[in-house]
Amino acid sequence: FFELPGGKRLVMMILLAGSETELEPSLRLLTAVQTEVAAMRPAYPKELVVGYTGDIASLVEEHDAIVADIALSSTIVFLLVGGVILVYFRSFRGLLAVLFALAPGIIFTFAIGRLTVHHLNSNTAFLGSIIAGNGINFPILFLAYYRARPMSEGRPLAVLEAGHQALFGTLAAALAASAAYGGLAISDFKGFSQFGWIGGLG
């Protein structure tokens, strides 16, 4: 630590044993220090100011800001996209079907992310909206094919025929998108590499 003459300003440097770019150890260290400070705080004047800076404090603050931004933007996107689908197809059941079909893909994608890159960071946090934005295209196309079937056709047959019509086009589009994302997986830059793994496999 460094202390100015008179003891009115003190700077304490605490180093993390490990990577300071990983959230979990950084959060544990910052929380431990804040707990120690809170326990000692009553013994000092109220005018005393305690501040935290450096890579660890910035990482935790950045993570909290990203989580808040993602929650807000995801809510807005969900409402806007859901509204567009509802207005276009004029069917609440159709909207629910699209969202139900989208959910397993998103869950699977982030499960892959958890296993391969462990967590998202400031470079890859936007992946959720991109994966959802690409993934929702396929159930929308399927629903469009289904709605285009003759009204006299039975539902089981209409579903089967719509799936047959939609399969090859959506499969080709999915493989093309997967190849485009997957090419980034070989990048040395961690953000691009994570984007490639999650986007390509998801």
Side-chain angles (χ1 to χ4, degrees):
F1 66 90
F2 303 92
E3 185 176 353
L4 291 182
K8 296 235 174 157
R9 181 165 297 176
L10 175 72
V11 177
M12 180 177 291
M13 298 184 66
I14 303 174
L15 303 180
L16 175 66
S19 173
E20 57 194 20
T21 61
E22 299 293 331
L23 176 64
E24 289 83 0
S26 297
L27 183 59
R28 284 198 299 269
L29 176 59
L30 182 61
T31 301
V33 172
Q34 290 173 333
T35 301
E36 290 291 334
V37 169
M40 296 186 294
R41 190 67 181 79
Y44 292 88
K46 293 182 179 180
E47 296 78 21
L48 177 68
V49 177
V50 180
Y52 304 92
T53 188
D55 293 337
I56 292 174
S58 297
L59 176 66
V60 174
E61 182 179 358
E62 180 185 69
H63 175 268
D64 292 341
I66 289 173
V67 170
D69 287 345
I70 288 177
L72 177 61
S73 63
S74 297
T75 302
I76 293 173
V77 168
F78 176 80
L79 293 175
L80 291 177
V81 172
V84 169
I85 295 172
L86 190 59
V87 168
Y88 183 80
F89 288 106
R90 298 185 301 279
S91 170
F92 186 71
R93 286 196 305 172
L95 172 61
L96 292 180
V98 168
L99 296 178
F100 180 78
L102 177 65
I106 293 179
I107 293 171
F108 179 74
T109 297
F110 283 104
I112 290 173
R114 183 65 178 175
L115 294 174
T116 56
V117 302
H118 307 303
H119 69 275
L120 301 181
N121 55 34
S122 58
N123 296 315
T124 51
F126 61 90
L127 268 176
S129 59
I130 291 181
I131 296 296
N134 278 337
I136 203 171
N137 292 333
F138 308 123
I140 287 176
L141 287 171
F142 180 85
L143 180 60
Y145 278 114
Y146 172 75
R147 294 291 295 270
R149 302 302 302 172
M151 294 291 292
S152 59
E153 196 170 56
R155 182 176 296 170
L157 181 58
V159 169
L160 185 63
E161 289 299 322
H164 179 72
Q165 288 179 305
L167 175 62
F168 297 105
T170 54
L171 180 60
L175 291 175
S178 179
Y181 290 136
L184 295 172
I186 62 174
S187 172
D188 291 332
F189 179 59
K190 193 172 183 180
F192 286 167
S193 177
Q194 292 177 349
F195 191 2
W197 277 108
I198 298 175
L201 292 175

